[in-house]
Every structure is written in C-alpha cells, then in structure tokens.
Amino acid sequence: MKKYKVGILGATGTVGQRFIQLLEGHPQFEVTALAASDRSAGKPYAEACAWKLNGAIPESVRDITVQPIEPPLDCDLVFSSLPSSVARETEEAFARAGYPVISNSSSYRMDEDVPLLIAEINAEHLDLIDVQRQKRGFSKGFIVTNPNCAVVSFAPPLAAIHRKFGVESAIVTTMQAVSGAGYPGVSSMDIVDNVVPYIAGEEPKVETEAQKILGTFADGAIQKADFSVSAQCFRVNVLDGHTCSVRVNLKEQATLEDLVTAMKEFPSLGLHSSPKTFIEVMDEPNRPQPRVDRDAGDGMTITVGRVFPDTVFDYRFVSLSHNTVRGAAGSAILNAELLIDRRII
Ligand code: NAP
C-alpha cells in the first residue's frame, strides 16, 4: 500500500495531538511535517507540545522540528487544526501551493465551492473540488472541511431520518466537552461545578451546517436541505464527548421502529478508520453517556439513545460522539482515506 507523507498544521494543539495519536502506525500515512505558531516553531515537537493524551508522544514525531505554518512543507497533503483566525489565509496558501488541505477549522465550511464532508453521508459533494479548482485557480491543491464537532454528533442520525422521511425542523441542545475549546480552553473556575450556556460562535454553526451536509449536489452546486434547526449550546463539565438532545419534526410519517431501523442500517464505509457500526442505537434508558460511550468504535461511532415519540415534536433522541476523534482528527483522516479511495489524492 502506498504511503503518503502528511503534514499537520496546528500540530501542538488539542486536535493536532489527536492527529498524531491516530496517525501512529496508519497504513497509508506517515507524519513527516509539523507546524504551529511562532511560540513552537524551531523547537523539537516533544519540547514545543504540552502533550495531554494518554500514553507518551510517539517516538516517530518527538524529534521533528516544528515549522511555521507556511508552504512548502515536506509532505503530500496537510491536515489543518488551526484556529479560524489564521486558518483561512493559511489553508488557501497551502491549497494554492498544490497541497490537498483537509481541515477541521470553520473558515471554509460554508463556502459554496468547498465540500463539508461526513464521509459516510455526502461523499458525492467531493465533485465540488473541480468547481473549487476552477473558481480559485488551484491546480493540484484543494480544501475539504469537516463539520463542527457538535454537528457531527447529531447530523448522522438526522441524515438517516432525512433520507427516508424528510426532516421538517429540529431543535438541538448541545452539551459540549471542555476539550472542544482547545487547550487551555475554559478556566477551571468557570467550568467545575457548573454549566455555561454560551459557546462563542457555536449556535450559528449548529443551525446551518447540517443543511449543507444533507444538501444535494447538482449542476456544480449544492442545494441545501430545506429544514430549519434551532440550537442552544452549553459547555459542560466533561473532558471529551459532545452530547446532543434533539427533537425533530418529519415531513412524512414514520413509526418508532422505522426511525430506529433507518439509523441502525445507515452503512459504514469499510475504510481503514471506518467503525464497524456508523450509528449505534442503544436501548438502555440511561445511554449514551460521554464517559461510557465516547470511545465506541475507537471514537468513530455515533451513539444514539432515548429515541421516543415526543409530546410536542414528532420524535426525540439523544446523540453522542467523541469531539476530538469523530468530531475532528478521526473524521479528517477518514476523509483523506476516502479521497485516496476515490483517486482524488
Ligand atoms: P488548540 O488546542 O488551541 O490548538 C491550536 C493550534 O494552533 C496549536 O498548535 C497552536 O500552536 C496553533 N496556533 C494557534 N495560533 C496560531 C497562530 N497565530 N499561528 C500559527 N499557529 C497557531 O485548538 P484545537 O482545539 O486543537 O482546535 C484547532 C481547530 O480545530 C480550531 O479551528 C477548532 O475550532 C477546530 N476544532 C476543534 C475541535 C475540538 O474538539 N477541540 C473539534 C473540531 C474542530 P501553538 O501551540 O504553537 O500555540
């Protein structure tokens, strides 16, 4: 199997560390370049990075010198986990320099010519890459993005429902882990013994991204799905794993069994990072829970529970996913595997 050399932009951060952990021993990728801010550039990775994940920093990257976030880097593609404040300019510079850019940042997610990809749901949106190259004058390079980490928790069950019965509208309440804010993130004085009903910039993302993901691609553009989402986003005292409470109105009638079957039968892809089960529906009345269920499918499975008819909407359910794995690095790696599988990389 061919090995591709990969670079990580924002390699010292919360998502950057998860990239390094997940890419260790990957059959298709070898980490050859790491980049971060001026604070880290010029230092060996092990010195620049305040490693927060279980286990030691992989030997293969400890001594790689961290570089500034500008091309060229010694790699075939880049994963980006940069703050949105710097991602827009930097990701464009890499794409223009000929690198495929697979990004976690919000900077390009809603641009009309940029795929906002959940590999299992909307792989056909990759056809936008040709449109993007033409429009922006990229030759070899391009940008593909992952959704917001809370959107990844509820978009898959919503997709399963939407495909079969049509979603009319949804109310989503998110309970988001502290690692979602990066490091050092929310002050312990703010989050211990507390729930914070505000995450800057989050509610508009949760209210708009799923419609693009579930949109249809035709004539070189995405026609967004025509349902509305109302969101409230909360930061909660959980380390990893975003939970969403969802209420949904359908366009067509469906039984509870229909709904659960649609979720359970949504296929996984069979790529290296694909979980065996994409959406796991749990029967226990007190699941899913972040501490217990976030690592399902090595962090790549979406767990869903408490699927019931609702007293105001048609149905309600709770969904959960690991925000730095399925919500960030794991999905980006899966997207890169899909791009290779489709011969786009
Ligand atoms: P983080 O822990 O704060 O890490 C940020 C990374 O970007 C670090 O490597 C940092 O380098 C680098 N950086 C910061 N400012 C920079 C600058 N001006 N120039 C160059 N590099 C700079 O943040 P994170 O949680 O990993 O998030 C990274 C991106 O992923 C964000 O866009 C975030 O919205 C998105 N995302 C995060 C999650 C999550 O669960 N955390 C999930 C999905 C998407 P230094 O160490 O050198 O400062």
Side-chain angles (χ1 to χ4, degrees):
M1 190 178 277
K2 177 174 174 185
K3 275 227 173 188
Y4 294 82
K5 296 198 282 185
V6 306
I8 303 170
L9 311 177
T12 48
T14 304
V15 177
Q17 293 179 30
R18 190 63 80 180
F19 270 121
I20 284 172
Q21 187 188 59
L22 295 175
L23 288 167
E24 178 69 359
H26 193 288
Q28 290 165 293
F29 302 122
E30 178 192 3
V31 177
T32 51
L34 302 172
S37 77
D38 294 346
R39 185 191 69 76
S40 307
K43 296 179 187 164
Y45 183 72
E47 190 186 316
C49 175
W51 185 258
K52 296 290 167 199
L53 297 180
N54 290 342
I57 298 177
E59 280 300 323
S60 55
V61 300
R62 289 187 67 85
D63 297 329
I64 295 180
T65 301
V66 178
Q67 313 217 23
I69 52 163
E70 57 197 35
L73 289 179
D74 174 26
C75 56
D76 304 311
L77 63 126
V78 292
F79 291 115
S80 170
S81 52
L82 290 170
S84 53
S85 53
V86 288
R88 195 157 178 101
E89 199 181 318
T90 305
E91 291 175 2
E92 159 130 25
F94 274 92
R96 200 163 289 291
Y99 297 84
V101 178
I102 295 127
S103 171
N104 287 282
S105 169
S106 59
S107 300
Y108 284 96
R109 282 184 199 145
M110 297 307 284
D111 281 33
E112 281 180 0
D113 58 339
V114 176
L116 176 56
L117 193 66
I118 296 181
E120 293 87 346
I121 297 177
N122 61 339
E124 71 279 8
H125 290 193
L126 289 176
D127 288 347
L128 269 181
I129 289 172
D130 288 338
V131 178
Q132 184 189 125
R133 281 177 168 152
Q134 265 185 5
K135 183 176 158 195
R136 298 186 194 245
F138 296 161
S139 52
K140 270 172 60 201
F142 59 84
I143 300 168
V144 167
T145 59
N146 300 353
N148 167 277
C149 43
V151 172
V152 176
S153 289
F154 73 87
L158 210 64
I161 297 169
H162 185 64
R163 289 219 173 134
K164 291 256 160 96
F165 317 108
V167 169
E168 179 73 44
S169 55
I171 290 197
V172 180
T173 306
T174 72
M175 290 153 272
Q176 301 185 215
V178 291
S179 65
Y183 185 79
V186 193
S187 150
S188 56
M189 288 283 278
D190 287 331
I191 199 66
V192 172
D193 188 30
N194 209 6
V195 167
V196 182
Y198 175 64
I199 302 175
E202 201 75 350
E203 286 166 2
K205 295 174 191 163
V206 175
E207 290 181 341
T208 55
E209 290 186 11
Q211 292 92 324
K212 180 174 176 187
I213 297 162
L214 295 179
T216 45
F217 180 80
D219 300 327
I222 291 170
Q223 182 76 37
K224 288 183 192 150
D226 68 346
F227 55 80
S228 50
V229 176
S230 163
Q232 285 189 305
C233 298
F234 295 79
R235 187 72 70 195
V236 297
N237 194 358
V238 164
L239 189 57
D240 290 316
H242 290 352
T243 307
C244 296
S245 160
V246 182
R247 284 160 172 81
V248 61
N249 268 336
L250 310 185
K251 288 192 169 140
E252 290 171 26
Q253 286 197 336
T255 65
L256 178 60
E257 195 188 350
D258 290 337
L259 221 67
V260 169
T261 304
M263 293 184 199
K264 282 186 174 167
E265 289 184 348
F266 206 108
S268 191
L269 285 180
L271 295 167
H272 176 76
S273 298
S274 299
K276 191 160 160 274
T277 307
F278 179 36
I279 304 173
E280 182 181 345
V281 183
M282 315 187 85
D283 295 327
E284 296 88 335
N286 60 351
R287 305 279 284 280
Q289 297 178 14
R291 209 178 60 208
V292 184
D293 297 308
R294 62 191 167 209
D295 292 324
D298 292 329
M300 291 295 282
T301 291
I302 313 293
T303 46
V304 175
R306 303 208 47 77
V307 191
F308 290 120
D310 189 56
T311 48
V312 176
F313 277 59
D314 289 332
Y315 285 98
R316 62 185 178 222
F317 63 86
V318 175
S319 60
L320 166 79
S321 70
H322 195 303
N323 55 294
T324 66
V325 184
R326 176 51 92 162
S331 272
I333 294 169
L334 182 62
N335 287 350
E337 293 166 6
L338 179 69
L339 285 158
I340 292 169
D341 190 62
R342 298 282 165 103
R343 301 183 194 287
I344 300 170
I345 293 181

